[in-house]
Amino acid sequence: MSGADQATRERLAEEIRSLRARRERLVDELVQSSGPGDSGDASQELQGGDEVAAIDERIAELEKLRAGRIDVQGVAPGTEVVLRFSDGSTQTFKVVAIPEEVLAGEEDITVTSDSPLGLALAHGQQGETVRYPTPDGAVEVEVLSIRRPS
């Protein structure tokens, strides 16, 4: 992700700031609620501890992404591909490395490189049909054009 644009890096940084603030509030709540109490309090503390751990994991993941330390699988980020679906419709997609690079309003025209479609396109060539799994079953699409980044 070393080539991530400034807007993506800023979105990652903002999410990290937000998560750190949420973590701090949660830890403060846990510290204030600790002390003698009933088993319901203990249950809340365990749940709060689990939430803190999940926040810590997400922050670590975002820091890794922001630093550009990700392994890209599938089709290369920056690739643009035009596909024809079984109903005859065509759609142009752009490929990104991570979901955080998907711009608001472009969710329907963006795929991640490691998504089922991104993985299927990794070896796809113009004129070929590729198959990829979806929750509703396998889908086949024809690759009308594929422009990989230079």
Side-chain angles (χ1 to χ4, degrees), residues 28-29 48 65 71 82 97 102 112 137 145:
D28 286 346
E29 290 173 12
L65 293 173
D71 296 324
V82 180
V102 177
T112 57
S145 72

mmCIF file of all heavy atoms in Angstrom, residues 28-29 48 65 71 82 97 102 112 137 145:
data_model
loop_
_atom_site.group_PDB
_atom_site.id
_atom_site.type_symbol
_atom_site.label_atom_id
_atom_site.label_comp_id
_atom_site.label_asym_id
_atom_site.label_seq_id
_atom_site.Cartn_x
_atom_site.Cartn_y
_atom_site.Cartn_z
ATOM 1 N N ASP A 28 -11.557 3.990 30.988
ATOM 2 C CA ASP A 28 -11.996 4.835 32.111
ATOM 3 C C ASP A 28 -13.249 4.264 32.762
ATOM 4 O O ASP A 28 -13.356 4.210 33.990
ATOM 5 C CB ASP A 28 -12.260 6.270 31.656
ATOM 6 C CG ASP A 28 -10.987 7.046 31.369
ATOM 7 O OD1 ASP A 28 -9.891 6.587 31.775
ATOM 8 O OD2 ASP A 28 -11.083 8.107 30.715
ATOM 9 N N GLU A 29 -14.198 3.823 31.941
ATOM 10 C CA GLU A 29 -15.425 3.225 32.470
ATOM 11 C C GLU A 29 -15.124 1.955 33.254
ATOM 12 O O GLU A 29 -15.700 1.721 34.323
ATOM 13 C CB GLU A 29 -16.406 2.898 31.338
ATOM 14 C CG GLU A 29 -17.025 4.103 30.690
ATOM 15 C CD GLU A 29 -17.851 3.742 29.458
ATOM 16 O OE1 GLU A 29 -18.124 2.538 29.234
ATOM 17 O OE2 GLU A 29 -18.209 4.668 28.707
ATOM 18 N N GLY A 48 -16.123 -5.717 28.590
ATOM 19 C CA GLY A 48 -15.353 -4.501 28.313
ATOM 20 C C GLY A 48 -13.911 -4.819 27.979
ATOM 21 O O GLY A 48 -13.319 -4.214 27.084
ATOM 22 N N LEU A 65 -1.538 -1.245 7.991
ATOM 23 C CA LEU A 65 -1.994 -0.789 6.679
ATOM 24 C C LEU A 65 -1.410 0.578 6.349
ATOM 25 O O LEU A 65 -0.951 0.826 5.228
ATOM 26 C CB LEU A 65 -3.521 -0.732 6.634
ATOM 27 C CG LEU A 65 -4.255 -2.061 6.711
ATOM 28 C CD1 LEU A 65 -5.758 -1.822 6.817
ATOM 29 C CD2 LEU A 65 -3.928 -2.929 5.517
ATOM 30 N N ASP A 71 0.323 -7.757 2.477
ATOM 31 C CA ASP A 71 0.584 -8.670 1.372
ATOM 32 C C ASP A 71 -0.613 -8.623 0.443
ATOM 33 O O ASP A 71 -1.728 -8.906 0.861
ATOM 34 C CB ASP A 71 0.775 -10.097 1.884
ATOM 35 C CG ASP A 71 1.991 -10.227 2.775
ATOM 36 O OD1 ASP A 71 2.997 -9.552 2.499
ATOM 37 O OD2 ASP A 71 1.924 -11.001 3.757
ATOM 38 N N VAL A 82 -13.272 -4.219 -17.055
ATOM 39 C CA VAL A 82 -14.654 -4.132 -17.532
ATOM 40 C C VAL A 82 -15.148 -5.569 -17.691
ATOM 41 O O VAL A 82 -14.520 -6.376 -18.370
ATOM 42 C CB VAL A 82 -14.756 -3.374 -18.870
ATOM 43 C CG1 VAL A 82 -16.209 -3.305 -19.331
ATOM 44 C CG2 VAL A 82 -14.157 -1.977 -18.753
ATOM 45 N N ALA A 97 -6.367 -2.241 -2.716
ATOM 46 C CA ALA A 97 -5.706 -3.238 -1.870
ATOM 47 C C ALA A 97 -6.509 -3.567 -0.622
ATOM 48 O O ALA A 97 -6.553 -4.714 -0.198
ATOM 49 C CB ALA A 97 -4.315 -2.752 -1.474
ATOM 50 N N VAL A 102 -11.726 2.139 -0.402
ATOM 51 C CA VAL A 102 -12.965 2.306 -1.163
ATOM 52 C C VAL A 102 -13.570 3.663 -0.806
ATOM 53 O O VAL A 102 -13.814 3.960 0.360
ATOM 54 C CB VAL A 102 -13.977 1.172 -0.851
ATOM 55 C CG1 VAL A 102 -15.275 1.406 -1.604
ATOM 56 C CG2 VAL A 102 -13.375 -0.183 -1.200
ATOM 57 N N THR A 112 -11.790 -5.314 -3.784
ATOM 58 C CA THR A 112 -10.460 -5.450 -3.197
ATOM 59 C C THR A 112 -9.723 -6.572 -3.918
ATOM 60 O O THR A 112 -10.327 -7.504 -4.442
ATOM 61 C CB THR A 112 -10.531 -5.748 -1.690
ATOM 62 O OG1 THR A 112 -11.305 -6.923 -1.477
ATOM 63 C CG2 THR A 112 -11.126 -4.571 -0.927
ATOM 64 N N GLY A 137 -24.078 -18.305 -4.742
ATOM 65 C CA GLY A 137 -23.553 -19.317 -5.654
ATOM 66 C C GLY A 137 -22.507 -18.723 -6.587
ATOM 67 O O GLY A 137 -22.291 -17.516 -6.619
ATOM 68 N N SER A 145 -12.222 -6.109 -20.771
ATOM 69 C CA SER A 145 -10.901 -5.460 -20.803
ATOM 70 C C SER A 145 -10.319 -5.464 -19.404
ATOM 71 O O SER A 145 -11.062 -5.472 -18.418
ATOM 72 C CB SER A 145 -10.994 -4.026 -21.354
ATOM 73 O OG SER A 145 -11.608 -3.173 -20.412
#
